[in-house]
């Protein structure tokens, strides 16, 4: 990853147009070709960005750009849409590159990990006749929390969250799209399991044919109440 801190302006042209006037910003250029433009605020969200697949090229400056004080200009072009993001650099304060290696991905917190363990042991909570195939079933884009089979032998992919939001549904959707391409697994049903599922996430899941399962952590540990399957 390359990190550049610079006095710069940014122009985006394509399906929409946007302009960031000159200011000091952090530019993140990732190994996957993406670029993110950050300010010192706004939490994690960049001011502008270009997602992969894209390519970066250094532009040749004309007299007007040089006269304006621009010392370097980059053009990032999206390979599919041809959208362009141009970064004009007036002064560079920091420029460094770092090899981050392979990221292991997000490690679930203690409750999510324990919920996965408990549900694997109590797989009948997903439905009568369900059997466990394995935990952490690896796909090309990451591990599915639990792979099971229902009473008819149909594959069931289960994603477990402490609090279920739209991001979790999207994650499970990506797993299902990939797994359903495998003739040894297809068709694969999806179950989104969490202690709490947000209404928007439930609506999205149900629209995509994904079942929602509410897990009572205390009850699963032998303390009270029962889960509800919708």
């Amino acid at each position: 990853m390359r990190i550049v801190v610079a006095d710069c302006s940014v122009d985006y042209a394509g399906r929409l147009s946007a302009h960031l006037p000159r200011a000091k910003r952090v530019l993140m250029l990732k190994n996957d070709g993406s670029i993110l433009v950050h300010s010192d605020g706004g939490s994690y969200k960049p001011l502008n960005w270009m997602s992969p697949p894209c390519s970066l090229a250094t532009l040749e400056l004309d007299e007007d750009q040089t006269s304006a004080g621009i010392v370097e200009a980059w053009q990032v072009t999206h390979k599919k849409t041809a959208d362009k993001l141009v970064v004009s650099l007036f002064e560079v304060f920091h420029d460094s590159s770092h090899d981050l290696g392979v990221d292991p991905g997000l490690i679930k917190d203690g409750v999510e990990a324990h919920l996965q363990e408990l549900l694997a042991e109590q797989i009948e909570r997903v439905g009568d006749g369900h059997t466990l195939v394995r935990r952490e079933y690896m796909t090309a884009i990451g591990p599915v929390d639990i792979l099971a089979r229902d009473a008819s032998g149909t594959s069931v992919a289960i994603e477990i969250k402490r609090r279920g939001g739209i991001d979790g549904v999207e994650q499970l959707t990506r797993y299902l799209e990939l797994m359903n391409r495998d003739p040894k697994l297809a068709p694969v049903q999806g179950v989104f399991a969490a202690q709490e599922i947000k209404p928007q996430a439930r609506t999205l899941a149900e629209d995509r044919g994904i079942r929602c399962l509410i897990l009572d952590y205390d009850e699963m540990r032998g303390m009270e109440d029962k889960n509800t399957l919708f």
Side-chain angles (χ1 to χ4, degrees):
M1 179 184 292
R2 184 180 176 190
I3 306 293
V4 178
V5 180
D7 179 5
C8 65
S9 63
V10 181
D11 292 277
Y12 193 105
R15 290 164 293 181
L16 55 84
S17 297
H19 172 70
L20 293 174
R22 180 177 174 179
K24 293 179 181 178
R25 300 187 176 94
V26 175
L27 310 170
M28 300 176 62
L29 294 86
K30 296 188 176 183
N31 196 45
D32 62 6
S34 61
I35 182 171
L36 299 94
V37 181
H38 284 275
S39 64
D40 191 9
S43 186
Y44 64 90
K45 188 175 181 180
L47 297 170
N48 213 327
W49 66 93
M50 182 72 81
S51 301
C54 53
S55 59
L56 183 147
T58 300
L59 300 176
E60 186 175 341
L61 302 179
D62 57 31
E63 288 188 13
D64 290 341
Q65 289 173 306
T66 302
S67 299
I70 297 172
V71 296
E72 190 174 349
W74 306 333
Q75 179 173 285
V76 184
T77 306
H78 197 278
K79 293 182 179 179
K80 292 183 178 180
T81 65
D83 286 9
K84 291 180 173 58
L85 185 147
V86 176
V87 181
S88 300
L89 306 172
F90 294 87
E91 185 176 359
V92 176
F93 306 104
H94 174 85
D95 189 344
S96 63
S97 297
H98 309 271
D99 183 0
L100 303 184
V102 178
D103 192 276
L106 180 66
I107 304 299
K108 292 179 178 294
D109 67 23
V111 172
E112 284 188 20
H114 199 200
L115 280 170
Q116 181 192 115
E117 179 184 351
L118 289 169
L119 188 58
E121 294 172 352
Q122 304 169 31
I123 196 65
E124 68 279 359
R125 291 176 180 274
V126 182
D128 292 340
H130 280 62
T131 56
L132 175 70
V133 175
R134 65 166 297 167
R135 293 170 55 190
E136 299 288 338
Y137 181 83
M138 186 57 65
T139 74
I141 57 174
V144 176
D145 288 331
I146 291 177
L147 177 64
R149 292 194 185 278
D150 67 13
S152 66
T154 300
S155 300
V156 181
I158 306 168
E159 182 62 26
I160 300 169
K161 300 293 183 187
R162 188 174 182 180
R163 292 184 177 85
I166 287 177
D167 288 350
V169 177
E170 294 286 5
Q171 182 182 359
L172 178 55
T173 299
R174 292 192 294 270
Y175 288 145
L176 290 170
E177 288 176 353
L178 190 65
M179 295 171 75
N180 272 303
R181 297 176 197 169
D182 186 342
K184 296 179 180 179
L185 295 175
V188 185
Q189 299 177 353
V191 173
F192 189 50
Q195 288 179 280
E196 172 190 349
I197 298 177
K198 296 180 180 179
Q200 300 93 328
R202 181 182 294 279
T203 299
L204 181 61
E206 292 174 348
D207 182 67
R208 294 180 177 180
I210 295 171
R211 290 187 291 154
C212 292
L213 176 65
I214 298 297
L215 301 175
D216 187 319
Y217 185 43
D218 289 337
E219 192 270 334
M220 292 177 75
R221 290 184 294 167
M223 298 181 70
E224 51 185 31
D225 279 352
K226 293 185 178 180
N227 59 290
T228 305
L229 179 64
F230 295 89

